[in-house]
Amino acid sequence: MRDYASPGVAIVAVGAILVAGVYVLAVLDRLLGMIVAGTSIRLGALLAEPVQSGALLVLQERRTTERPDAAGWALAPALFGGLAAVALAMVPLDRDIVAADPATGFVVFSAAIAMVMIAIYLHGWSPNSAFALHGAYRYGAQALSFQIPFLLAMLATALPAESLSIVDIVDAQKSVWNVVREPAGLPLYLVVGVAVSFWGPLNLPDAADLAGGTVVEDSGLDRLLWKGARAAMLVAVAAMGAAVFLGGWWGPWLPGPAWVVLKTVALLVVLLASGHLLARVRIEQFVFVSWVLLIPLALLNVFVSGALLL
Amino acid sequence: MARAGLQLGLKQALGRVAAGAPVPVFAVAGQGAREHVQDLRLDGRLRLVDSPGAAMVLLIAGGLPDGLAEPLAHLHDSLPHPRATLWWPLGAGPATWPQQFVPTIETRDGVSETLQAIQRELLRGQRPGEPPILPDEDPVPWKGVGPYGQGGTGMTGGTPYGRPMAELGADRDGLRLDVLPLRIGPFFPRFPPGLTLDLKLAGDVIVDVAPVESPFAGAPPVGVCRAGARIFVDALSQPVPVAGLELARAREHLRWLADALVAVELGSLGSRVLRLAAELRTSDGDSIRTLGRALRRTQAIGWATNGVGRIPAAAVEGLGAGPIARAAGLPEDERTHDPAYSGLGFEPIVQRDGDAAARWRQRLGEAAQSLELAARAGDRRTVPTGSVESPRGRLDGEGNATARFLHLLPGVLQGLEWGDAVTTLVSLDLDFEEAVFAETARAGAVAS
Amino acid sequence: MTLEAVLVVAAALFGIGLYGALSQQSFVMLMMGLELMINGGILALAALWSRSAGGNPQGQMLGVVFMTVMAAEMSLGFALITSVYRVRRADITEKLRRLKG
Amino acid sequence: MNGLITDGVFWLFAVGSVVTAFRVFRTDSMMRAAFFLLASFAGVGGILALLGAEFLGMVLILMMAGEMLVMAIVMVMFMMNPAGLNPMWMVHQHRVAVVAGAGSFLALASLPFVVDLPDRPAPRPEEATAELGTELLGGSMLVFQTAGVTLLSAMIGAVVIAHRNGRFGEAEQGSLEPALEPPGEEKG
């Protein structure tokens, strides 16, 4: 076993960072939306809106459908949020500031990403509703397609560190960031990152053509938790991208944690902007592109970065 | 006791915070209300939502035929507590409906304020949430034996819970798998008001589809004609200014575009287009061309629409299907017969592919062309010939393009995945209101 | 967390898996039984590796081989289910009396 | 104290994974069965991590998540009653199966108490992952490569078997070799 924060500290810290991250994400998303829509921006309203809408959802009652799987329905957002927390816990803020640094941090993160599809499937299946189930199936197709390029894109970053620990991976980027070492890695990771948390152009399970997809039957707290968990996952994906591709805490002048936050926000802006600037992708196209284009590209990325290290 | 007090205090505190949130509204657009509902998207004080589960207030706008009473009651009951209803009749006659649906506001001004006030009252507990209209019972009665109402013994015995097991149907991979019968509409937010489809889905793929007759069609109008379609209906019977007609056409196309952008998850860009449509002037041709470039860059015309919902020219020949026909390469346009257009150098724009992308390009091209025509038209007036080219195709006393096109819909949608089917339906720009008012215009009794 | 405790848990998983594999008619449920048996095997293996074999890395290696077997079993099993359904429209073992064709 | 927490977590995972494993065969919906099976695997993955085989445990969870999703899709495709509206009880040779299951459990569970297993705990559990990596690409390279090739051939085989076009024409036609007789009435 390597460094672990004590359980209480880790849970509180990760929880607080997650909530803060989700809030920042909500504000950023709204801000980008307003810029694209060309509406005038009032800072006060912008900052208050996520809190107000959240409070509104807390006060709305839960809804039920005919013969749902109540346990699964309640469990799905919790599972999704928990997975986001596990994924985020792997990201180091500095060499010594990390909630958990298992030797297999990379695999833990990947396992959390893989379990996301179970959370979404559970969420779509349990309300016993046609649109929700359709959303769940779409994510199934989407997830099975992006798993392999995702693993390969991240795997290439573990090569220079010769370790699966995220701290080691970041540490190995002292002189050169991985984004320079393997230029194909970050774009691949970002495409797949949008797909993991089904944002913007790859929002197929909760799409507008399904009137909300897996979330269509949710109201009140269910909806708040689901949206929150989804946003948390995007934060975790951005934070991990900042760690393994953009050199995590490495950077001049500022202290390490500040760099991590800055890089995470920068990646978040890119990920969120894609939601306002790119049209929804058809599932058929995404599956095709994943298997035919992304997997060979990711393989090539691994081979090249491996060859460069020899 | 103390715990209950704490809970109440917390609730009140949250209520005060939540009162300032944009009101989540599920809006139903009845007759004459399409633009009014659409314009609400630009209002930052409220938020139009796609699912009743996300809404706090049900906004019913415009005239609603009696056929919608029952689906509307179901919709009302599926809003979470606390909930409220606001009917905004827009000049429609009184309804003989449950008391939730009595008119509550008359004018455009104040809709947002009223919605906000309703939300505030609901959250503070000053206004009771509305009780359900329908009794809370299962649509199919509980029957059968055993704790789950199964039909018999074993896995496949009888009809469990009064519901038939799914039947087998052909699949495109040659497997025979279960198909799911499903009715979608009449309030599905991506559909035009009044469209209901009876579907059979195998997974994501539409095996069979049948449009259910629109509650708007065939009945006398229950509301007033919506502003955007008004001038085209008027042009059937009286000369109208060409400039006004073309400006209205460009505006209708842009309004369609705003909705279509929401369907491909580009809601913020949709708001920008909507604002452009609301304030459109004849000099805005450049803005439309810039918009076309932006849409190609965002891939809204591109990966979302290329090759989707192809309708060959032969299928729509002679239907007067307007942009749908012209996108497939048929230069059918009623304006070519109108002497008012003869000196303007009007030449129908056509595309070749006939897919959804071609229809997007077609409408954008026509919007820009209409602005040019409007700028050149001066004070020319149309000559009533009994048929008009509306933004959706030939409009005459018999009906509009949607009515003539509807029987082709099953053939177009079969075999598509649901996402593509929605893209296709959106790109067709169906309208069930136009025909009703064109018919009444012929009878010389347009409500004004 | 003694060695015996882990091995008992592994045995329980194996037993449940064997029960499922023998009793279930549906192909997929049958495969679930098989998976559980392998699962118990991996658990026992890891316990012996960690507590009794002195952490010999070849023990973990064997675990990797077990997982390979599991993955191969799953992929071929699902392919066979699809194929059998395509030809015979069968989803339970009783509908398959011959294995040919 | 630390050992107490580890023990508590172990028993949580152990009881959880056995109970959910049992529930797999005692639920009315195949979907729930798949979720229970995944829960059972997640429990075992947790125990593996506690035992020091972190890599194996996490890979088990990673692999099973994808596998359960495929399983769920296959079940909804081909199996009846995915929603669990009817009670699901599809068993044969039940008594034999119960006896065999219970018997194998008793036999296997008694083994550690009968056999005298050597007590040699792993000396450096924190190095386990690195050791596995060295082993995979060192001494057991051949085994590792064989496993890889096996998986590849399983993948290709699966695609070939499941594909619509069999070796002797379309699969629905009952893709027999031309010389053989067509399938009889035992079909479907």
Side-chain angles (χ1 to χ4, degrees):
Chain A
M1 301 253 167
R2 297 158 62 107
D3 292 346
Y4 284 89
S6 74
V9 174
I11 290 171
V12 170
V14 171
I17 293 177
L18 260 195
V19 171
V22 169
Y23 173 74
V24 169
L25 180 143
V27 171
L28 273 179
D29 190 38
R30 218 174 125 74
L31 180 67
L32 288 169
M34 284 169 131
I35 293 173
V36 172
T39 32
S40 56
I41 298 159
R42 283 184 301 125
L43 200 62
L46 181 70
L47 293 177
E49 199 271 341
V51 179
Q52 292 170 332
S53 288
L56 185 82
L57 283 173
V58 173
L59 289 174
Q60 273 187 317
E61 281 175 31
R62 295 181 65 199
R63 212 166 63 125
T64 187
T65 55
E66 196 191 348
R67 277 189 68 74
D69 187 295
W73 200 353
L75 192 65
L79 178 60
F80 196 8
L83 291 171
V86 168
L88 195 70
M90 298 295 134
V91 180
L93 274 176
D94 207 334
R95 198 197 308 266
D96 312 316
I97 312 176
V98 55
D101 175 34
T104 50
F106 166 84
V107 191
V108 174
F109 182 75
S110 309
I113 296 293
M115 287 292 287
V116 167
M117 57 191 173
I118 299 301
I120 292 166
Y121 197 88
L122 191 60
H123 188 238
W125 172 79
S126 49
N128 191 14
S129 156
F131 275 160
L133 188 62
H134 262 109
Y137 273 123
R138 279 189 186 177
Y139 193 76
Q142 188 176 335
L144 292 175
S145 314
F146 71 58
Q147 282 296 328
I148 298 172
F150 180 77
L151 282 173
L152 290 175
M154 274 197 66
L155 191 67
T157 65
L159 292 180
E162 298 179 5
S163 167
L164 293 177
S165 146
I166 306 291
V167 171
D168 289 353
I169 292 177
V170 181
D171 216 20
Q173 300 179 67
K174 186 177 181 189
S175 51
V176 194
W177 292 358
N178 278 335
V179 69
V180 183
R181 249 186 222 141
E182 41 208 54
L186 185 63
L188 265 173
Y189 179 85
L190 287 183
V191 169
V192 179
V194 171
V196 170
S197 33
F198 46 104
W199 212 269
L202 289 169
N203 178 9
L204 300 172
D206 287 5
D209 61 332
L210 293 175
T214 67
V215 85
V216 69
E217 299 294 346
D218 286 6
S219 69
L221 209 54
D222 288 338
R223 186 172 275 268
L224 178 68
L225 290 178
W226 184 253
K227 298 251 176 201
R230 175 167 165 243
M233 200 70 217
L234 195 71
V235 172
V237 165
M240 184 53 90
V244 300
F245 287 103
L246 296 182
W249 62 74
W250 295 113
W253 310 305
L254 293 173
W259 274 114
V260 173
V261 170
L262 267 181
K263 289 168 182 173
T264 304
V265 168
L267 281 188
L268 265 185
V269 169
V270 174
L271 291 170
L272 291 174
S274 77
H276 295 286
L277 296 175
L278 286 174
R280 178 167 57 80
V281 176
R282 296 166 53 214
I283 179 73
E284 206 179 309
Q285 284 168 330
F286 180 72
V287 171
F288 180 83
V289 168
S290 287
W291 288 97
V292 176
L293 195 71
L294 296 189
I295 292 182
L297 198 63
L299 271 176
L300 197 70
N301 188 36
V302 173
F303 288 148
V304 170
S305 22
L308 287 180
L309 286 170
L310 286 179
Chain B
M1 202 59 216
R3 213 174 133 202
L6 190 69
Q7 227 168 18
L8 194 71
L10 189 67
K11 217 170 159 178
Q12 275 170 347
L14 276 175
R16 266 195 298 280
V17 175
V23 189
V25 177
F26 189 90
V28 171
Q31 252 171 22
R34 205 165 163 180
E35 292 104 290
H36 290 96
V37 167
Q38 214 185 14
D39 282 340
L40 295 180
R41 282 193 190 283
L42 294 178
D43 198 324
R45 289 167 293 182
L46 42 93
R47 197 160 48 84
L48 291 192
V49 294
D50 281 349
S51 149
M56 180 160 251
V57 184
L58 175 64
L59 175 70
I60 304 165
L64 292 161
D66 286 342
L68 284 182
E70 208 196 320
L72 204 53
H74 278 292
L75 180 72
H76 173 269
D77 292 354
S78 60
L79 259 70
H81 290 287
R83 61 191 167 206
T85 317
L86 184 69
W87 188 26
W88 179 22
L90 289 164
T96 53
W97 288 9
Q99 58 146 37
Q100 271 87 356
F101 303 135
V102 296
T104 10
I105 186 152
E106 290 293 345
T107 54
R108 167 70 186 93
D109 305 325
V111 169
S112 302
E113 284 84 357
T114 314
L115 286 168
Q116 275 184 316
I118 290 175
Q119 167 164 297
R120 218 166 26 241
E121 287 163 19
L122 279 175
L123 289 174
R124 287 188 187 156
Q126 294 158 339
R127 179 191 181 112
E130 287 169 11
I133 301 172
L134 301 169
D136 183 17
E137 61 189 24
D138 299 328
V140 182
W142 196 96
K143 64 181 180 189
V145 294
Y148 296 140
Q150 60 261 28
T153 51
M155 286 258 299
T156 47
T159 51
Y161 209 49
R163 279 146 187 76
M165 288 291 211
E167 39 188 307
L168 290 178
D171 169 74
R172 58 180 171 181
D173 193 35
L175 296 163
R176 283 182 68 79
L177 301 175
D178 296 348
V179 291
L180 175 72
L182 195 63
R183 169 169 284 201
I184 293 178
F187 304 120
F188 182 57
R190 298 285 89 76
F191 281 2
L195 179 66
T196 309
L197 293 181
D198 268 336
L199 298 169
K200 278 191 176 152
L201 294 173
D204 213 0
V205 180
I206 296 179
V207 183
D208 194 18
V209 58
V212 179
E213 194 176 359
S214 163
F216 290 165
V222 289
V224 293
C225 185
R226 62 194 180 83
R230 182 65 188 270
I231 190 165
F232 298 100
V233 174
D234 285 349
L236 279 173
S237 51
Q238 67 203 57
V240 296
V242 170
L245 193 73
E246 291 303 319
L247 193 59
R249 186 190 315 280
R251 192 170 283 152
E252 281 285 284
H253 282 326
L254 288 181
R255 282 187 175 278
W256 163 82
L257 184 62
D259 268 352
L261 283 171
V262 174
V264 291
E265 312 264 336
L266 286 172
S268 354
L269 198 57
S271 300
R272 182 176 277 253
V273 173
L274 195 56
R275 191 163 318 102
L276 176 65
E279 297 159 2
L280 194 68
R281 290 169 208 287
T282 43
S283 52
D284 283 339
D286 284 338
S287 316
I288 293 182
R289 274 180 286 273
T290 316
L291 194 61
R293 273 196 299 279
L295 291 183
R296 269 183 288 277
R297 269 186 214 136
T298 59
Q299 293 297 327
I301 310 177
W303 63 41
T305 47
N306 261 339
V308 176
R310 205 175 286 271
I311 301 173
V316 287
E317 193 156 13
L319 285 180
I324 301 173
R326 291 194 288 275
L330 288 175
E332 281 181 9
D333 196 317
E334 291 303 307
R335 286 176 283 177
T336 50
H337 307 312
D338 191 332
Y341 284 87
S342 58
L344 289 175
F346 169 72
E347 194 70 46
I349 301 176
V350 290
Q351 314 284 327
R352 273 183 307 124
D353 299 338
D355 58 359
R359 291 192 280 276
W360 280 60
R361 278 197 297 273
Q362 177 69 25
R363 291 217 170 77
L364 267 170
E366 284 189 21
Q369 184 194 35
S370 288
L371 289 186
E372 279 169 26
L373 287 174
R376 281 204 297 268
D379 52 0
R380 282 167 190 259
R381 297 179 90 80
T382 59
V383 182
T385 54
S387 69
V388 172
E389 183 71 20
S390 92
R392 287 157 199 91
R394 193 175 77 228
L395 179 69
D396 53 30
E398 305 291 314
N400 74 342
T402 299
R404 288 187 298 268
F405 181 80
L406 209 56
H407 73 278
L408 289 177
L409 204 55
V412 174
L413 296 184
Q414 259 163 29
L416 293 184
E417 285 174 9
W418 173 250
D420 291 348
V422 170
T423 307
T424 307
L425 263 171
V426 166
S427 77
L428 295 176
D429 192 16
L430 303 178
D431 186 332
F432 294 92
E433 286 178 56
E434 245 181 13
V436 176
F437 289 98
E439 208 170 318
T440 34
R442 192 175 54 158
V446 174
S448 46
Chain C
M1 195 172 56
T2 58
L3 174 62
E4 285 78 15
V6 185
L7 286 179
V8 167
V9 171
L13 288 175
F14 186 89
I16 294 170
L18 184 64
Y19 158 75
L22 287 178
S23 69
Q24 296 296 313
Q25 288 182 308
S26 160
F27 292 135
V28 181
M29 298 297 285
L30 192 155
M31 282 173 66
M32 287 188 178
L34 291 178
E35 298 277 304
L36 273 176
M37 286 162 72
I38 303 181
N39 198 13
I42 292 180
L43 185 56
L45 181 84
L48 290 171
W49 163 80
S50 150
R51 293 296 144 94
S52 187
N56 185 344
Q58 284 175 354
Q60 283 202 72
M61 186 63 224
L62 196 55
V64 172
V65 173
F66 268 43
M67 281 187 200
T68 314
V69 171
M70 215 160 167
E73 173 243 314
M74 272 306 246
S75 63
L76 287 176
F78 284 137
L80 282 173
I81 290 174
T82 310
S83 173
V84 161
Y85 187 86
R86 205 189 277 288
V87 181
R88 309 269 184 88
R89 209 156 298 150
D91 57 356
I92 57 171
T93 48
E94 261 71 2
K95 285 191 185 169
L96 275 189
R97 291 186 188 280
R98 314 188 316 173
L99 290 174
K100 199 171 181 93
Chain D
M1 181 62 197
N2 218 345
L4 207 63
I5 292 182
T6 313
D7 266 1
V9 173
F10 164 71
W11 282 112
L12 193 76
F13 282 147
V15 172
S17 93
V18 171
V19 167
T20 47
F22 183 70
R23 291 278 285 150
V24 168
F25 303 108
R26 282 288 180 286
T27 180
D28 278 336
S29 150
M30 293 207 180
M31 211 48 120
R32 284 182 204 127
F35 287 132
F36 278 129
L37 185 60
L38 181 62
S40 173
F41 274 102
V44 171
I47 299 178
L48 290 188
L50 286 181
L51 284 170
E54 272 178 50
F55 183 79
L56 279 187
M58 288 305 126
V59 168
L60 187 72
I61 294 177
L62 172 76
M63 198 172 94
M64 281 306 132
E67 207 166 302
M68 275 317 112
L69 194 74
V70 175
M71 201 171 235
I73 289 172
V74 167
M75 277 192 299
V76 174
M77 269 167 78
F78 299 131
M79 308 293 153
M80 46 198 124
N81 190 26
L85 286 175
N86 263 355
M88 189 169 88
W89 185 247
M90 300 174 62
V91 290
H92 50 201
Q93 50 186 10
H94 192 238
R95 192 164 302 163
V96 179
V98 171
V99 171
S104 65
F105 166 65
L106 289 177
L108 290 173
S110 60
L111 270 183
F113 300 101
V114 177
V115 182
D116 187 22
L117 293 165
D119 184 24
R120 278 192 296 146
R124 299 182 308 276
E126 67 281 353
E127 299 283 309
T129 309
E131 280 174 6
L132 176 62
T134 320
E135 182 68 25
L136 280 178
L137 297 175
S140 304
M141 178 77 130
L142 198 61
V143 181
F144 184 51
Q145 289 300 324
T146 314
V149 173
T150 310
L151 274 184
L152 180 67
S153 50
M155 248 155 62
I156 296 173
V159 171
V160 171
I161 294 173
H163 199 262
R164 185 177 191 172
N165 294 324
R167 193 170 149 209
F168 303 106
E170 293 219 333
E172 299 98 285
Q173 315 296 327
S175 48
L176 283 178
E177 276 181 70
L180 295 179
E181 285 178 35
E185 53 267 33
E186 281 147 324
K187 187 173 171 178

